């Protein structure tokens, strides 16, 4: 039977819709049927009357189907931009792995002894101050260890012994870390000189380095030229009494601190001046303790006022401005020659001798009169002495046969 034109067009429309749906599912955009991840979307068929309006919403929607006048429908192939893969492994650029270093990191060299200043050893006998100067050269640590007395109980010598053996141990040249640790623990708060305190600090730094790097050895280096000195030689004060005044000829005390030399060697060569004038005589050691000592000096003849004290030793000069005040000397009053003096002669002791020419003013008792009955009272009568009988006389108590 004959098929009408309307039925034919309706059949074509149904076939075209099925083709569009199949094309949507077989697109190359990589999408899925549920619309996740790809660029294509599902297109649903609409009514056959009139042209379809494009869907609004998804930017990747397929264009609508438009029938031609001859009854055939054309379905344009939707174009979808392929999306970039969402794999995190493909999108992230891997960071370069660190390459292993071929050089070993150098250890920090522990700090070594600061300068003293150097102590002149004029008497040729080793003392802690001069051995400290020898230890400042790390290559001389063994020589210094041989100079330190083995059996001395002095804190300074014990400290230098521990420092010398640690110097050898940290450089891999022998020494004893155990002995150094014992010496350091035994000398806590006992270093009473400026060089001793510096040596104690350096010894503690070496022991700490060994605890952090037990198997490490390093080459010690002398301290640089700009390192501050361990001892700040100075005048700590002047003792001129509670009023800080002294007269010419009086004795004052000058306290020196941070001395860097043996006191027995310092005294013969130290010079002291007060107010710009050299003190009379040599300074005398009054007391000493650690790196402090007190010198006694005589104040020279100076004008009254505030004066400066200067101490010189081995090319080093230290000053203390306005150290004390020179007082004016005491004035002895002279006797007044115009004052009246008592009459009469004066004895060598200053007493006035009474004149015998004034019996009325100074009455005296009259002597008792002489009588014929006998001599005056208190006097023996004078008469002929008895004569000794003739013949031999024997001493009293002796008998002559």
């Amino acid at each position: 039977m004959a098929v009408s034109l309307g039925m034919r067009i309706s059949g074509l429309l149904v076939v075209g819709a099925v083709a569009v749906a199949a094309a949507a599912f077989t697109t190359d955009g990589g999408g899925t049927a549920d619309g996740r991840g790809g660029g294509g979307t599902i297109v649903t068929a609409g009514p056959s009357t009139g042209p379809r309006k494009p869907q609004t919403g998804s930017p990747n929607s397929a264009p609508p189907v438009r029938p031609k006048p001859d009854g055939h429908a054309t379905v344009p192939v939707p174009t979808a931009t392929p999306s970039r893969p969402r794999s995190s492994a493909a999108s992230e650029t891997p960071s370069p792995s660190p390459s292993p270093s071929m050089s070993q990191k150098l250890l920090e060299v522990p700090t070594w002894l600061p300068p003293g200043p150097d102590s002149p050893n004029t008497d040729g006998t080793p003392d802690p101050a001069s051995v400290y100067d020898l230890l400042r050269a790390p290559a001389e640590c063994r020589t210094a260890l041989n100079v330190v007395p083995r059996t001395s109980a002095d804190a300074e010598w014990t400290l230098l012994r521990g420092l010398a053996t640690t110097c050898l141990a940290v450089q891999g040249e022998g020494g004893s870390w155990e002995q150094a640790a014992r010496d350091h623990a035994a000398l806590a708060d006992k270093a009473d000189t400026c060089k001793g305190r510096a040596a104690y600090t350096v010894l503690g730094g070496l022991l700490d380095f060994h605890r952090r790097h037990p198997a490490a050895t390093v080459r010690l280096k002398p301290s640089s030229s700009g390192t501050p000195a361990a001892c700040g030689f100075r005048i700590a004060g002047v003792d001129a009494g509670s009023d800080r005044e002294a007269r010419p000829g009086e004795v004052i005390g000058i306290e020196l601190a941070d001395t860097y030399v043996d006191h027995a060697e310092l005294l013969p060569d130290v010079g002291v001046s007060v107010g710009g004038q050299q003190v009379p005589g040599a300074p005398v050691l009054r007391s000493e303790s650690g790196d402090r000592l007190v010198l006694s000096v005589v104040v020279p003849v100076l004008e009254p006022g505030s004066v400066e004290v200067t101490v010189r030793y081995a090319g080093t000069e230290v000053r203390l401005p306005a150290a004390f005040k020179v007082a004016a000397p005491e004035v002895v009053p002279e006797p007044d020659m115009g004052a009246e003096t008592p009459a009469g002669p004066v004895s060598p002791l200053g007493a006035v001798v009474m004149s015998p020419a004034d019996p009325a003013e100074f009455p005296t008792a009259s002597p008792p009169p002489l009588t014929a009955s006998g001599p005056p009272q208190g006097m023996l009568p004078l008469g002929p002495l008895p004569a000794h009988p003739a013949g031999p006389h024997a001493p009293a108590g002796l008998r002559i046969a």
Side-chain angles (χ1 to χ4, degrees):
M1 75 181 166
V3 180
S4 64
L5 179 60
M7 291 292 292
R8 188 178 297 174
I9 293 175
S10 298
L12 291 175
L13 291 176
V14 172
V15 174
V18 173
V20 170
F25 280 103
T26 59
T27 180
D28 294 334
T32 58
D34 58 0
R36 293 180 300 172
T41 58
I42 298 176
V43 179
T44 59
S48 58
T49 56
R52 294 176 57 94
K53 295 182 179 180
Q55 291 183 344
T56 59
S58 175
N60 297 324
S61 300
V65 179
R66 297 180 181 275
K68 290 185 177 181
D70 58 358
H72 295 83
T74 59
V75 182
V77 179
T79 58
T81 304
S83 62
R84 190 175 183 180
R86 297 188 178 184
S87 175
S88 60
S91 60
E92 296 180 1
T93 304
S95 59
S97 58
S99 59
S101 176
M102 300 301 293
S103 60
Q104 184 181 5
K105 183 179 180 181
L106 297 178
L107 295 176
E108 183 179 358
V109 179
T111 303
W112 193 234
L113 292 174
D118 290 343
S119 303
N121 190 14
T122 57
D123 57 5
T125 302
D127 53 72
S130 60
V131 174
Y132 176 97
D133 300 335
L134 182 61
L135 271 174
R136 288 197 57 232
E140 299 295 333
C141 289
R142 189 172 299 280
T143 303
L145 184 60
N146 294 332
V147 174
V148 176
R150 299 291 182 181
T151 59
S152 176
D154 182 76
E156 293 283 324
W157 283 125
T158 303
L159 178 59
L160 294 176
R161 179 185 62 193
L163 187 62
T165 189
T166 307
C167 171
L168 296 175
V170 77
Q171 297 185 103
E173 299 176 359
S176 172
W177 287 109
E178 292 77 10
Q179 180 64 48
R182 287 193 298 267
D183 292 341
H184 185 266
L187 295 173
D189 300 328
K190 292 185 179 179
D192 58 356
T193 65
C194 49
K195 288 188 174 181
R197 289 186 291 270
Y200 185 82
T201 301
V202 171
L203 178 57
L206 291 174
L207 292 172
D208 181 68
F209 174 85
H210 179 65
R211 283 190 292 267
R212 291 184 287 110
H213 311 286
T217 59
V218 294
R219 183 62 57 185
L220 296 175
K221 298 184 298 183
S223 56
S224 59
S225 58
T227 304
C231 299
F233 183 53
R234 68 188 188 280
I235 301 176
V238 173
D239 180 14
S242 58
D243 56 357
R244 299 183 67 249
E245 290 188 358
R247 293 181 173 85
E250 293 182 348
V251 177
I252 61 172
I254 302 175
E255 182 181 6
L256 302 178
D258 275 10
T259 56
Y260 57 93
V261 64
D262 185 35
H263 295 166
E265 300 179 55
L266 182 144
L267 286 174
D269 298 325
V270 70
V272 180
S273 61
V274 176
Q277 294 190 23
Q278 188 75 19
V279 297
V284 178
L285 178 63
R286 178 189 295 183
S287 63
E288 61 179 339
S289 176
D291 59 2
R292 290 176 173 262
L293 77 159
V294 179
L295 301 175
S296 294
V297 298
V298 179
V299 179
V301 178
L302 296 168
E303 294 294 330
S306 180
V307 292
E308 178 183 73
V309 173
T310 304
V311 177
R312 295 174 299 276
Y313 174 75
T316 302
E317 185 176 275
V318 291
R319 301 172 180 268
L320 182 61
F324 70 100
K325 183 178 180 181
V326 175
E330 294 183 347
V331 178
V332 179
E334 297 181 357
D336 188 3
M337 303 305 294
E340 295 182 359
T341 57
V346 180
S347 69
L349 298 178
V352 178
V353 179
M354 292 181 295
S355 174
D358 300 328
E361 187 175 358
F362 303 99
T364 57
S366 301
L370 297 176
T371 59
S373 60
Q377 186 178 0
M379 299 182 63
L380 295 176
L382 295 177
L385 297 175
H388 295 285
H393 297 277
L398 295 180
R399 185 177 180 182
I400 301 176

